[in-house]
Amino acid sequence: MPSPSQTLCGTVISAGKMMKTVKVRTTKQVYNSFLRKHFTAHQSHLVSDPNSSLREGDVVRIAPGWRASKHIRHVVTEIVAPWGPALEERPPVPSMEALADERRAKHKAKSERILAARQRAGASDGHGRDEGPNLKERHTDVIGGPEVVGGEERVVLEKEVEVR
């Protein structure tokens, strides 16, 4: 979970126009040293709302998360003050741990699909290279490549690699 200094509190200004995304406006005080006065500065963030549980006017707490798209970099962590329907009538806001578990599960499923597709295609990984236990050895038998031996770098002209 992000530290309290990383979390921001803001108001939802646009909801329901983008899928699983809302726009949240945060405010902060900025000091103008010339005028010697504080002014309110606004900043808008596109925030991921996985269950579409936010409505316009809600006061929410957001935290930086992974990039869901090019501009969406924050995730809703909690609804501080709802506006409109009560919280019991809305879908719950998932915790950061639940979101991370879901992301890991998706990544694992994708990795399994990729491996299954590679196995169906044969021993090739789609780039004309052999795949299997000798993949590392194939990269180490480069002729003319640098090799560090005894603290100094030398160019290897010939090298034998044991193939299993």
Side-chain angles (χ1 to χ4, degrees):
M1 178 144 187
S3 68
S5 64
Q6 291 179 323
T7 60
L8 301 170
C9 196
T11 306
V12 178
I13 58 172
S14 174
K17 297 176 183 171
M18 298 171 276
M19 291 176 51
K20 299 182 180 183
T21 305
V22 295
K23 188 183 281 190
V24 176
R25 175 174 286 161
T26 59
T27 60
K28 64 180 179 178
Q29 293 287 316
V30 178
Y31 183 71
N32 187 324
S33 60
F34 181 75
L35 297 175
R36 296 182 181 183
K37 184 177 178 182
H38 284 88
F39 290 97
T40 302
H42 302 282
Q43 188 173 12
S44 295
H45 301 278
L46 288 179
V47 179
S48 176
D49 178 22
N51 292 344
S52 299
S53 56
L54 300 179
R55 307 290 182 261
E56 280 188 40
D58 287 347
V59 178
V60 295
R61 190 171 313 279
I62 62 175
W66 50 85
R67 289 181 68 164
S69 71
K70 184 177 180 181
H71 299 288
I72 302 172
R73 295 184 174 98
H74 290 80
V75 178
V76 175
T77 56
E78 69 173 312
I79 300 174
V80 177
W83 183 266
L87 289 177
E88 293 78 26
E89 300 171 11
R90 302 182 190 186
V93 176
S95 67
M96 294 295 277
E97 292 82 18
L99 291 172
D101 290 342
E102 181 182 339
R103 187 171 170 87
R104 278 189 223 104
K106 282 185 180 181
H107 182 69
K108 184 178 179 183
K110 182 177 180 179
S111 298
E112 290 172 357
R113 285 195 311 270
I114 289 172
L115 287 175
R118 285 182 181 172
Q119 289 174 352
R120 283 194 306 270
S124 176
D125 67 354
H127 298 285
R129 298 186 297 239
D130 290 336
E131 186 177 306
N134 298 326
L135 186 61
K136 282 189 176 179
E137 285 88 4
R138 187 182 59 76
H139 289 294
T140 58
D141 64 351
V142 176
I143 304 297
E147 182 182 76
V148 177
V149 176
E152 58 184 45
E153 188 173 311
R154 292 191 280 183
V155 176
V156 179
L157 298 176
E158 202 170 346
K159 186 174 182 180
E160 290 185 19
V161 175
E162 184 180 359
V163 179
R164 296 181 230 168

